[in-house]
């Protein structure tokens, strides 16, 4: 099986196109040599993949016939990635500021919903008539004229 199809079928990449683009960028290698998308994968190969700023290593146990479910992936590959790489990933995730700073940009949909829940939508329900809201009635506007 071609390496781009293999990486897609074991769900390492979402699409086969993304897998082939990563291979073209030399982020995937078998052993010590970089590969092309057409490289055939064999059982026992150790594939090194650079993704999310860490180096994954997977060993091919079995070649799947086609794309497989996530629960079946451990039957086809063995993860031999160094523990230090996963620790680096955990540290990077903890150090990143996932949320925007206060006052930066528009509120997200979640922010808006949180604000609506906090303030409540009672104002719109209480004042269905704008004249009542502003304290004016049709009689008041006629008497002023």
């Amino acid at each position: 099986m071609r390496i781009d199809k293999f990486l897609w079928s074991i769900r390492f990449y979402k699409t086969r196109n993304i897998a082939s683009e990563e291979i073209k960028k030399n982020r995937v290698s078998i052993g010590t040599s970089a590969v092309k998308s057409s490289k055939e994968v064999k059982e026992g190969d150790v594939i090194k993949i650079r993704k999310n700023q860490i180096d994954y290593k997977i060993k091919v146990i079995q070649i799947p016939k086609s794309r497989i479910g996530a629960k079946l992936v451990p039957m086809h590959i063995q993860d031999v990635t160094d523990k230090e790489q996963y620790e680096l990933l955990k540290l990077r995730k903890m150090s990143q500021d996932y949320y925007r700073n206060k006052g930066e940009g528009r509120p997200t949909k979640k922010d808006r919903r949180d604000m609506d829940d906090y303030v409540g939508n009672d104002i719109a329900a209480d004042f269905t008539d704008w004249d009542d809201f502003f304290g004016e009635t049709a009689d008041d506007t006629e008497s002023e004229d």
Side-chain angles (χ1 to χ4, degrees), residues 78-106:
Q78 177 183 3
D79 188 10
V80 290
T81 306
D82 298 331
K83 301 285 185 213
E84 296 135 11
Q85 295 293 324
Y86 286 118
E87 290 173 11
L88 280 173
L89 183 64
K90 187 185 285 186
L91 284 173
R92 284 193 185 112
K93 282 187 177 181
M94 289 173 62
S95 67
Q96 278 182 335
D97 187 18
Y98 279 101
Y99 204 73
R100 62 180 172 77
N101 293 329
K102 186 172 181 171
E104 265 185 39
R106 291 174 45 179

Side-chain angles (χ1 to χ4, degrees), residues 123-137:
I123 296 170
D126 291 344
F127 300 106
T128 54
D129 188 16
W130 285 106
D131 292 334
D132 291 341
F133 178 75
F134 289 111
E136 295 179 7
T137 59

Side-chain angles (χ1 to χ4, degrees), residues 1-55:
M1 177 182 284
R2 294 170 50 111
I3 191 163
D4 59 343
K5 189 173 182 180
F6 176 76
L7 293 173
W8 166 75
S9 65
I10 62 165
R11 298 180 174 269
F12 210 87
Y13 291 108
K14 190 173 183 178
T15 65
R16 191 169 166 189
N17 189 31
I18 293 171
S20 63
E21 286 175 9
E22 294 296 306
I23 292 168
K24 285 178 188 173
K25 294 176 184 175
N26 291 330
R27 295 185 181 153
V28 178
S29 61
I30 294 179
T32 57
S33 61
V35 295
K36 292 184 179 180
S37 295
S38 60
K39 173 75 175 168
E40 290 291 321
V41 178
K42 300 173 196 145
E43 292 178 4
D45 284 346
V46 176
I47 302 172
K48 296 177 186 173
I49 304 161
R50 179 96 173 141
K51 184 179 178 183
N52 296 333
Q53 298 179 345
I54 69 168
D55 296 321

